[in-house]
Amino acid sequence: MRRGKRDFISVSVCILLVCALNTLFSQAHGQQAKEPPDALVKRITQDLLDAARADKHIHFGTQGELLDLVEAKFLPYVDFQRMTSLAVGRFWRDATPGQRKALTDEFRTQVIYAYAATIWEIRDQKVVFQPMAPGDGGPDDAVVRSQVTMTHGQPQEMDYRLENLPEGWRIFDFEILGKWLVESYKGSFASEINKGGIDGLIKSLVEKNKKLAAGGWKTSK
């Protein structure tokens, strides 16, 4: 083999090795940089509560500021498609792609209102996080537990279920002061679908969201 050809092969092998090492390093770095689920939920919750306490408009119940805050700080970490599919249950597989998108979009709006109402209620309370627990889906599922110290009565649970996705841990269900969101919607969703099909459920969600936008956000739960 000529020297020039041997040199070319050697250089090519080196380039391939460097590329492979870079890929492995990037993957390892991405895994190391992924925020743990308990740290993620604690950061989101604290950021929201700190902002809600600092904003006098939010303190007196102004709707727009709090909704914007939830959309900016909470929504990027929620898997709304999985959340919606769990709430819709067995009917999800019968929905068309267009219906699934409409359901997810409308349910997303209701989740924003529900979570905003919760933050408004607990804005002056203390949230204490408990040890994290495994979820039902193995190592890629987790339950982050916390308790809200209420002014009157016993502390209330405020827990989150998360899944491990390539882009990081994402919330797909949460417990609002003792009641899991997905479970609380399942019965009403099934009832609407039995009455008017998937389109009937979409229509009812649209109507409810119009009422919430008109000022009923504090009772959205």
Side-chain angles (χ1 to χ4, degrees), residues 157-206:
E157 300 293 330
M158 191 169 175
D159 302 337
Y160 300 79
R161 290 177 176 145
L162 297 93
E163 58 184 338
N164 189 10
L165 299 177
E167 62 269 26
W169 286 90
R170 293 294 180 264
I171 297 163
F172 65 88
D173 196 7
F174 55 89
E175 189 177 19
I176 300 179
L177 304 181
K179 196 170 185 180
W180 286 103
L181 185 86
V182 166
E183 195 62 33
S184 68
Y185 276 95
K186 268 187 175 181
S188 62
F189 279 13
S191 177
E192 291 292 343
I193 292 171
N194 286 328
K195 287 190 298 183
I198 298 292
D199 287 335
L201 173 58
I202 294 170
K203 182 180 178 182
S204 72
L205 290 173
V206 170

Side-chain angles (χ1 to χ4, degrees), residues 73-126:
K73 293 184 177 292
F74 181 68
L75 264 62
Y77 304 100
V78 181
D79 183 349
F80 282 104
Q81 180 162 312
R82 183 175 181 188
M83 185 181 284
T84 308
S85 68
L86 289 172
V88 174
R90 61 185 178 84
F91 301 102
W92 182 257
R93 64 175 176 267
D94 299 324
T96 66
Q99 288 173 326
R100 289 182 178 184
K101 183 181 185 307
L103 285 169
T104 302
D105 290 345
E106 296 302 327
F107 189 48
R108 175 182 180 275
T109 300
Q110 294 208 7
V111 171
I112 295 172
Y113 280 106
Y115 199 74
T118 301
I119 292 298
W120 189 83
E121 282 189 22
I122 69 169
R123 67 196 183 283
D124 295 323
Q125 311 303 324
K126 183 179 180 182

